[in-house]
Amino acid sequence: MDSSINENPSPTRPRWRKVAYGGMQPGFDDNHTDETFLEAMVMNANVVKRSMLKVMQDSVSISQYLCIVALVVLVWTCTLRSTLNENTLLLLDVSLLGLGFLVLILTAEMMSLNLLFHYFINISFFTTGLYVSAPIYQTLTRSISSDSIWAVTVSLLILHLFLHDYSGSTIRAPGALKNPNLTSCISLNASVVASVFIASRLPSRIQVFAIMLFSLQVFLFAPLVTYCIKKYSFQLHLWFSFGLMVLTLAFVYMLHRLLFVLLLGLLVFVTVVCPYWLIRIQEYKFEINGPWDEAKLCFDITE
Amino acid sequence: MTGRLKVYYIPWKPFLMQNTLPTFYGTLPIMRTILIREKISLVHGHQAFSTLCHEALMHARTMGYKVVFTDHSLYGFADVGSIHMNKVLQFTLADVSQAICVSHTSKENTVLRSGLPPEKVFVIPNAVDTAMFTPAPEKLSHNEIVIIVISRLVYRKGADLLVEVIPEICRLFSNVRFIVGGDGPKRVRLEEMREKNSLQDRVEMLGAVPHARVRSVLISGHIFLNSSLTEAFCIAILEAASCGLLTVSTRVGGVPEVLPDDMIVLAEPDPSDMVRAIRKAISILPKIDPQVMHLRMKKLYNWHDVAKRTEIVYDRALGCSNQNLVDRLSRYLPCGGWAGKLFCLVMIIDFLLWRLLQLWQPTEDIEEVPDFSLPNSECPEFKEDGSLSLR
């Protein structure tokens, strides 16, 4: 029979057992809470202890991308005010393309001539396509007022920054593991639409082509380039980001004082305040695991 | 109905899988009418996912009745759905008189989810009707071993584990046959597995089995396989054991507490470990006597015993002191910074609506059901072995 473990005739009652069969256990109420209650509970098993320095270094990716977007907006403002003319823009485009290619060649582990040729062909197709469709962009928003354009562009850029994938690149680097997820595709599309809206405000066809090429180059390929730099050497990544931040702050200072203060505040918030806040609230983390958890299948279900 | 059990039907339309939309205060008038009409002293609600249960318990507490809640399932903590459901559960259990869980693991889970003090939670397991689940009159031969699976074929019940385990077992043991009863979204995967491995003559798919026919399916087998990924208490295992089958199950939730170690073989929810467990079960199968197992089950599980223990909980609940609204509100405040105040607001509005209803439809106007007793010749009686008989 399954009733008691110890057989001695002394008046001590049998030990309580964590079983459901056999009816009420003699000597114990149904609401008896044993010392073994919650013995198998495991707390915070998968929680990673973070250090302030590492989180600050990781947040540099975010501030670096913020600076890149700030530089793009700067170029847009200068072009719309006619401070930059189309030849300067075209020169800027070509030099950025060249720099990007250089970084890819220097940092890639396996770069064959075939792959390089493949990239070059793609870029040529891309540029030709943009040149041919520049007249469409030029007349696209002629009937919409400028205020709506600025408002939509700003909201799209904010959406782009919110949903951007800061750890990887939506355009897949050679050898990348994961497919891009939905939010990073949405953010990329938002940035492309914002570029189209800005380009449609410009008067001449060459300007439209130059600004579209510039914006698309940066939004599509800058994450790829920074990802390659980060993969190659973390120190180089930190120095590059620092240089970029100083450059951006200098340019914005020359343009507008208030925006400079705002940008500086935002960068300090992202790099210093947010990591501190994250580490402070981590002590409230309470992850519970135990025998009541639904079992996880250790194999993948192939449909 | 039998034994003076009455069922009231509330005409709400279910919108998804037999669930109705939560209406907060919509059920107050009809609940009040039923509780006054039948002269109820205690309200017992079941199942944390039932909106009707939560609303009924809320209204019963407002009207001053004692309340008992039984939780029948395990639930997680980590995703958005779980966090919401646990908050709702915390609201209902903040002011409950007593609570019941069906296994000790379920008690730990409920205490963590709702923040109830453990002394308020009683563990009363479910039982099985051993009179209905009797073993086959003659012992089956062991030339061919039949493994029975009867469950809903869904992810939660481990249908994917079955898809991995069945071909492996059929490959290792040539005298083993499977009978799979039940239906669900994963049935397609099982059929595919059957086609791919050419197991049409070794795996029989029965489709949905009505409850009355479950026993006849069970007694045609030697081993019962349960592969669920989560289970607070598994009545299917009890039914199988009552029919004299040896059980092989995954070690999840409350399953290790349900049967003694010599009536069940446990395995981790991993295909290779389940194959090992089935191999062990096949090797100890000759020592199993279905009649002996059935007699043991009669002593281990008994609905009569469950009713007696539940009555003890009811007596405890009725002995709790009455509390007025202000005392009860202080129990809702610790539920959370925002949640506590929101819950208090919900209860205050419920109280006001109840008072309004009392003015509009006074208690004296509701007709109370008269007490009646059946003539002796129809009175049902419980016998000692837990079976029901009509005299």
Side-chain angles (χ1 to χ4, degrees):
Chain A
M1 266 298 286
D2 316 295
S3 43
S4 65
I5 304 177
N6 57 351
E7 303 287 351
N8 60 29
S10 67
T12 56
R13 56 191 180 177
R15 275 181 52 226
W16 182 87
R17 291 160 72 209
K18 193 176 176 187
V19 292
Y21 50 83
M24 260 177 98
Q25 302 198 24
F28 295 100
D29 277 337
D30 277 329
N31 64 343
H32 168 81
T33 312
D34 207 40
E35 299 92 53
T36 57
F37 188 67
L38 288 182
E39 202 178 45
M41 178 168 83
V42 178
M43 299 206 294
N44 288 340
N46 300 327
V47 170
V48 167
K49 192 92 179 64
R50 296 178 210 264
S51 84
M52 178 78 170
L53 197 61
K54 179 121 196 345
V55 179
M56 279 177 70
Q57 282 178 338
D58 287 337
S59 72
V60 162
S61 311
I62 303 180
S63 22
Q64 173 201 66
Y65 194 72
L66 278 174
C67 292
I68 291 178
V69 172
L71 281 174
V72 170
V73 172
L74 208 66
V75 168
W76 285 349
T77 322
C78 290
T79 313
L80 284 166
R81 285 188 191 172
S82 308
T83 319
L84 280 176
N85 67 355
E86 53 259 26
N87 293 328
T88 332
L89 262 180
L90 282 171
L91 196 62
L92 186 64
D93 289 341
V94 172
S95 43
L96 276 179
L97 256 181
L99 271 175
F101 257 117
L102 201 66
V103 168
L104 270 183
I105 295 172
L106 288 176
T107 62
E109 286 152 3
M110 24 152 250
M111 178 62 78
S112 63
L113 208 60
N114 211 359
L115 197 60
L116 206 60
F117 188 62
H118 190 65
Y119 279 170
F120 188 70
I121 291 285
N122 280 347
I123 296 282
S124 326
F125 276 146
F126 178 62
T127 316
T128 321
L130 264 183
Y131 185 74
V132 164
S133 49
I136 307 177
Y137 302 138
Q138 194 179 14
T139 56
L140 195 64
T141 60
R142 202 162 269 181
S143 58
I144 306 180
S145 77
S146 293
D147 290 338
S148 327
I149 296 289
W150 310 144
V152 170
T153 308
V154 167
S155 1
L156 281 173
L157 273 183
I158 292 179
L159 182 70
H160 166 67
L161 285 172
F162 222 69
L163 294 179
H164 188 249
D165 179 13
Y166 290 99
S167 62
S169 160
T170 315
I171 308 285
R172 250 204 304 183
L177 301 157
K178 311 184 293 192
N179 283 325
N181 51 12
L182 179 66
T183 47
S184 65
C185 290
I186 294 178
S187 84
L188 189 63
N189 281 316
S191 61
V192 168
V193 174
S195 333
V196 170
F197 276 160
I198 290 289
S200 66
R201 287 282 115 182
L202 293 167
S204 90
R205 192 181 148 178
I206 286 287
Q207 271 188 326
V208 169
F209 166 64
I211 202 81
M212 273 301 292
L213 187 59
F214 169 73
S215 321
L216 285 184
Q217 249 175 247
V218 173
F219 284 128
L220 292 174
F221 301 125
L224 177 61
V225 168
T226 53
Y227 175 73
C228 285
I229 293 179
K230 193 157 80 160
K231 218 165 48 138
Y232 180 67
S233 148
F234 199 68
Q235 282 284 0
L236 185 64
H237 162 77
L238 286 177
W239 279 113
F240 174 66
S241 311
F242 186 63
L244 198 64
M245 280 194 254
V246 168
L247 190 73
T248 315
L249 285 171
F251 278 136
V252 174
Y253 183 73
M254 288 191 299
L255 182 74
H256 201 277
R257 295 291 158 82
L258 178 65
L259 287 179
F260 166 75
V261 171
L262 277 178
L263 185 63
L264 187 64
L266 189 61
L267 288 179
V268 165
F269 181 70
V270 164
T271 321
V272 177
V273 174
C274 282
Y276 177 67
W277 196 8
L278 177 67
I279 292 184
R280 272 291 300 277
I281 61 177
Q282 258 228 319
E283 57 188 69
Y284 297 114
K285 185 124 177 118
F286 182 38
E287 194 185 66
I288 309 173
N289 287 105
W292 48 79
D293 283 336
E294 186 173 305
K296 289 211 175 18
L297 292 177
C298 52
F299 51 90
D300 285 324
I301 302 173
T302 50
E303 287 292 335
Chain B
M1 296 178 80
T2 331
R4 296 169 61 182
L5 175 72
K6 274 196 201 165
V7 177
Y8 277 84
Y9 169 69
I10 296 186
W12 293 121
K13 224 171 176 38
F15 79 108
L16 176 71
M17 285 175 19
Q18 305 300 318
N19 289 330
T20 54
L21 279 168
T23 63
F24 279 106
Y25 304 112
T27 43
L28 179 60
I30 192 165
M31 290 252 65
R32 177 169 171 266
T33 312
I34 296 174
L35 292 177
I36 295 178
R37 191 161 181 267
E38 297 285 345
K39 295 180 284 192
I40 300 291
S41 18
L42 184 143
V43 177
H44 186 170
H46 290 262
Q47 194 56 290
F49 307 129
S50 158
T51 54
L52 185 61
C53 165
H54 288 294
E55 287 178 35
L57 295 187
M58 174 169 83
H59 299 320
R61 275 315 275 158
T62 310
M63 294 191 265
Y65 293 97
K66 303 291 188 297
V67 153
V68 175
F69 177 78
T70 298
D71 197 359
H72 290 270
S73 31
L74 296 175
Y75 213 40
F77 300 93
D79 54 300
V80 181
S82 307
I83 296 175
H84 276 112
M85 279 313 304
N86 292 345
K87 211 63 188 173
V88 172
L89 188 69
Q90 210 180 3
F91 166 66
T92 302
L93 294 187
D95 195 23
V96 77
S97 312
Q98 303 292 341
I100 300 176
C101 284
V102 292
S103 68
H104 299 286
T105 310
S106 177
K107 175 174 172 173
E108 294 178 352
N109 185 244
T110 304
V111 163
L112 282 175
R113 276 160 58 205
S114 62
L116 264 187
E119 297 72 44
K120 254 198 182 172
V121 183
F122 288 74
V123 175
I124 302 178
N126 295 320
V128 65
D129 188 0
T130 42
M132 200 170 121
F133 290 94
T134 51
E138 286 138 25
K139 203 168 159 181
L140 294 170
S141 87
H142 286 225
N143 295 338
E144 191 188 44
I145 298 188
V146 182
I147 302 185
I148 313 267
V149 178
I150 298 187
S151 77
R152 279 183 302 140
L153 300 176
V154 292
Y155 172 78
R156 218 173 124 95
K157 296 286 182 185
D160 299 296
L161 278 174
L162 283 180
V163 168
E164 303 291 320
V165 164
I166 291 180
E168 189 61 26
I169 293 286
C170 287
R171 193 180 62 82
L172 288 172
F173 300 96
S174 55
N175 62 338
V176 165
R177 215 164 45 90
F178 280 87
I179 296 181
V180 177
D183 206 348
K186 293 278 178 180
R187 187 173 172 179
V188 177
R189 284 202 78 210
L190 279 167
E191 303 271 10
E192 270 174 12
M193 174 268 301
R194 205 166 152 233
E195 295 291 325
K196 211 162 71 160
N197 296 295
S198 310
L199 295 171
Q200 286 88 343
D201 53 340
R202 296 185 66 185
V203 175
E204 191 185 331
M205 308 275 299
L206 295 177
V209 179
H211 197 248
R213 278 195 43 221
V214 168
R215 183 211 168 231
S216 56
V217 174
L218 284 175
I219 58 173
S220 63
H222 303 87
I223 296 179
F224 183 77
L225 178 61
N226 173 48
S227 55
S228 352
L229 300 180
T230 176
E231 201 71 76
F233 186 92
C234 194
I235 302 192
I237 294 180
L238 293 191
E239 293 173 353
S242 179
C243 287
L245 278 81
L246 180 62
T247 310
V248 174
S249 173
T250 43
R251 180 179 285 128
V252 286
V255 171
E257 305 168 25
V258 168
L259 286 177
D261 295 324
D262 48 346
M263 288 160 91
I264 185 171
V265 181
L266 291 169
E268 301 302 319
D270 170 60
S272 47
D273 207 41
M274 288 180 74
V275 168
R276 176 207 59 86
I278 296 179
R279 185 196 293 271
K280 181 172 168 201
I282 293 176
S283 69
I284 63 177
L285 198 57
K287 301 193 209 103
I288 302 290
D289 184 354
Q291 296 290 345
V292 167
M293 202 188 258
H294 175 75
L295 290 170
R296 271 180 82 190
M297 283 303 290
K298 271 166 90 159
K299 294 201 178 71
L300 291 178
Y301 283 103
N302 187 344
W303 280 117
H304 203 42
D305 177 60
V306 170
K308 215 166 42 168
R309 289 157 84 175
T310 313
E311 251 187 291
I312 297 178
V313 178
Y314 288 166
D315 291 332
R316 258 316 171 94
L318 288 171
C320 285
S321 57
N322 279 327
Q323 282 181 319
N324 61 5
L325 180 67
V326 181
D327 292 331
R328 284 177 37 232
L329 285 181
S330 64
R331 287 210 205 173
Y332 287 106
L333 275 174
C335 286
W338 292 96
K341 303 183 178 58
L342 190 66
F343 294 161
C344 286
L345 192 65
V346 168
M347 290 310 282
I348 291 174
I349 297 180
D350 200 34
F351 184 78
L352 290 172
L353 281 175
W354 175 49
R355 286 293 187 203
L356 200 69
L357 210 55
Q358 275 184 326
L359 288 172
W360 183 30
Q361 226 183 9
T363 317
E364 300 77 43
D365 284 352
I366 299 180
E367 204 182 311
E368 289 182 6
V369 167
D371 266 334
F372 70 98
S373 50
L374 296 164
N376 266 350
S377 58
E378 282 171 43
C379 188
E381 184 188 67
F382 275 113
K383 287 224 212 73
E384 259 81 42
D385 58 11
S387 60
L388 189 65
S389 75
L390 283 169
R391 239 185 332 149

